[in-house]
Amino acid sequence: MPLGKIQTQIVAALGELGRLDAKQRAALAARPEDLSGDALDKILQEEHGLTPYVIFVARARAHRLAPCHVSRFHVGPQTFERIPQDFCQQHLVLPVGTAGDLLLVAVSNPFDATLAAKLQGLTGKKIVRLLAREKELRDKLFPKEQAGAAGFDDVVQKIGAEFGVAGESQLESADVNEESGPIIQLANRIIEDAYFSGTSDIHLEPQEKDVVVRYRIDGLCVEKLRLPVKVGPALVARLKIMCNLDIAQRRLPQDGRIVFKQYTTKGLDLDLRVSTAPLNHGEGMVMRILDKQKSTLPMTALGFSDENLVRYRDCIRQPYGMILHCGPTGSGKSMTLYSALNEVNTPDIVIRTAEDPIEYTLPGLNQMQMNRQIGLTFATALRAFLRQDPDIILVGEIRDEETAGIAIEAALTGHLLISTLHTNDAPTTISRLTDMGIEPFMISSSLLCVCAQRLMRRVCKQCRQPYEPEGREKAMLEKALGWSGPIHRAAPKGCPKCGGSGYKGRVGIHELMVTNEELVGAINQELEASELKKIAMRAGMKTLHQDSLLKVREGLTTLAEAISTVPPDA
């Protein structure tokens, strides 16, 4: 059977590369068996001693494409700014760079002639295809599926074996200590498994008879592991050693940071923000995972509606004033702040940040870590910044009257100040500042906008189910948006992609209150938050509830998730 067209071209390319002589090429062309698929590769490797790399280069030449080694590229959230990650995973493509109006895209299937047209329609750019190996593309596009951490059974068995305990149920009688090999392995394994599971926080909670390990994934806690009660103190002590805390001090809360890169062999460049607390059954610990391999998300990926994004971008480009973000812990405030700073971070702008703790380090920013023990507070940092000629100042949180006063002073004296507050919605932020003792005219003179935000779980695109809302659901959509139509619900049993939950990932919702002349007058008159809300809505503000229902209408989440995240407007 003669070689097919593409196999003939591969053999010819190997001849051009000097890897096959004329006699070898003729012998291959005369072979009777079918050499399609992987058969030709196998013969070239086994009988002619060619490496997979050389065959890959020849294959790229045969398809008249440049070879691309995607294993050398770093994949982060910004990689998928032009092409959505779901599209890349579905079609096995990866954007790897730009050259003027050209977008360079690595593909594994050179025969898909329609893909370039799809990509050009999606991005508006001319597409240049590069050939990549399918395995390398899968490793980059599905890292968690490839690198999932192992279970814990082997570690538990090692703990029992080392201390002469036959089974896990008898482990509490063993004299476990933080220097044992299995305890070190267990601490590392918990962190690695949590990272690969997409966890934001790890909770170690001592109970009366055992120690519970829980992960917070997409905003909800799930129980992962139960350990015998005797293991708890040793595990906590090991983690305290990793972040240089006092292992003898068990009666007071402590805060620390684990630089995990020095403890793992898996190449995970992540830090953990650690907090310990004395509880009734022992010392508990919470660790927040800060993935240093993740860069800030682009503003377009944060969930801002088109209208809110335009208004917010206008605010962060103002020369002076104050921008406040409000919401509970874990509502995405820090990521929004970092993304905003990353967008305006240019060589001609000086940016100073005061943070507690520094969660992500960004090039070009001058970041300062707070240290209350030596008197380095937000207020102290702000005073120092005002003497260091900054253009933009970020303060991690306004907690007291002193910090609020200096922040407003900075905003009034030619600086753009960005900070956070813990309030439920945008209008009540004004009341919070006045409660701190700030004069209303100072607030109205300095404030540019207040952005309240929350994070909602995204419904899984693979298994979501469309339906027509009826009754109260339909009435709620009509009242908030003046619209009703088909929306989606989560599949009760989910699918493998979402781990059976029906949800995967999270999306932000925002209530953006931008000041105008009417709102300034209302703040000066010390009107109630409900009146400020009405004025802001007349000026185009969408409430958190309305924005959450917009996400429902767009098919990003479900009505049940929207209502559970923020209550309906009164």
Side-chain angles (χ1 to χ4, degrees), residues 206-452:
Q207 306 293 333
E208 186 177 0
K209 295 182 179 179
D210 46 26
V211 177
V212 179
V213 180
R214 296 200 293 169
Y215 296 168
R216 186 176 292 278
I217 301 174
D218 289 341
L220 296 180
C221 272
V222 293
E223 184 177 313
K224 182 66 181 181
L225 188 64
R226 281 185 177 265
L227 296 166
V229 69
K230 194 74 174 180
V231 178
L235 180 58
V236 169
R238 170 59 190 167
L239 292 166
K240 287 168 90 171
I241 288 171
M242 292 168 72
C243 52
N244 296 317
L245 295 180
D246 183 1
I247 63 172
Q249 177 56 268
R250 300 180 181 179
R251 297 181 298 171
L252 289 174
Q254 297 184 68
D255 293 321
R257 191 181 187 98
I258 296 175
V259 181
F260 191 60
K261 190 175 184 178
Q262 59 189 313
Y263 298 105
T264 180
T265 59
K266 295 194 175 182
L268 302 182
D269 189 10
L270 57 96
D271 290 357
L272 294 100
R273 190 176 75 194
V274 180
S275 175
T276 71
L279 305 176
N280 58 335
H281 292 298
E283 198 170 14
M285 180 177 283
V286 177
M287 297 178 284
R288 170 155 291 186
I289 296 176
L290 309 173
D291 186 2
K292 296 170 75 175
Q293 292 170 311
K294 284 184 180 177
S295 57
T296 59
L297 291 173
M299 294 290 295
T300 51
L302 295 177
F304 278 103
S305 65
D306 293 340
E307 180 185 352
N308 279 345
L309 185 58
V310 170
R311 298 169 77 196
Y312 186 74
R313 278 177 162 161
D314 286 342
C315 290
I316 63 176
R317 285 178 168 81
Q318 296 299 314
Y320 58 86
M322 183 166 64
I323 297 172
L324 296 177
H325 283 258
C326 59
T329 302
S331 59
K333 300 190 296 296
S334 295
M335 179 55 76
T336 307
L337 295 179
Y338 281 115
S339 297
L341 290 182
N342 203 40
E343 185 152 310
V344 297
N345 183 17
T346 55
D348 58 325
I349 298 291
V350 177
I351 301 176
R352 295 276 193 272
T353 77
E355 303 171 63
D356 188 18
I358 295 173
E359 294 192 15
Y360 299 98
T361 54
L362 296 180
L365 267 62
N366 302 281
Q367 298 173 267
M368 183 185 291
Q369 169 69 54
M370 299 300 95
N371 189 339
R372 293 187 196 178
Q373 294 178 341
I374 61 171
L376 181 53
T377 62
F378 286 125
T380 310
L382 261 174
R383 285 197 189 92
F385 287 165
L386 291 177
R387 296 190 292 271
Q388 296 190 348
D389 187 34
D391 296 297
I392 300 175
I393 300 173
L394 182 144
V395 182
E397 185 183 348
I398 294 177
R399 295 174 178 168
D400 50 50
E401 181 181 352
E402 184 183 17
T403 308
I406 303 171
I408 287 179
E409 179 187 332
L412 291 172
T413 53
H415 307 90
L416 181 64
L417 186 129
I418 306 175
S419 189
T420 68
L421 270 175
H422 286 285
T423 56
N424 287 327
D425 59 11
T428 55
T429 302
I430 310 300
S431 306
R432 176 84 176 103
L433 288 171
T434 54
D435 289 344
M436 285 182 175
I438 307 300
E439 293 291 341
F441 75 90
M442 297 283 284
I443 300 170
S444 63
S445 303
S446 60
L447 192 64
L448 291 173
C449 74
V450 181
C451 180

Side-chain angles (χ1 to χ4, degrees), residues 52-68:
Y53 173 77
V54 171
I55 298 170
F56 167 65
V57 173
R59 188 177 296 276
R61 279 200 177 200
H63 289 287
R64 298 184 179 179
L65 298 176
C68 178

Side-chain angles (χ1 to χ4, degrees), residues 36 39 55 66 80 88 120 125 141 145 167 177 183 261 288 315 325 366 399 446 530 545:
S36 59
I55 298 170
F80 306 106
C88 292
Q120 188 163 341
K125 286 183 170 287
L141 291 169
E145 293 181 17
N177 69 78
I183 287 293
K261 190 175 184 178
R288 170 155 291 186
C315 290
H325 283 258
N366 302 281
R399 295 174 178 168
S446 60
S530 58
H545 173 62

Side-chain angles (χ1 to χ4, degrees), residues 176-188:
V176 182
N177 69 78
E178 71 277 1
E179 294 300 328
S180 74
I183 287 293
I184 294 172
Q185 277 188 304
L186 179 62
N188 290 356

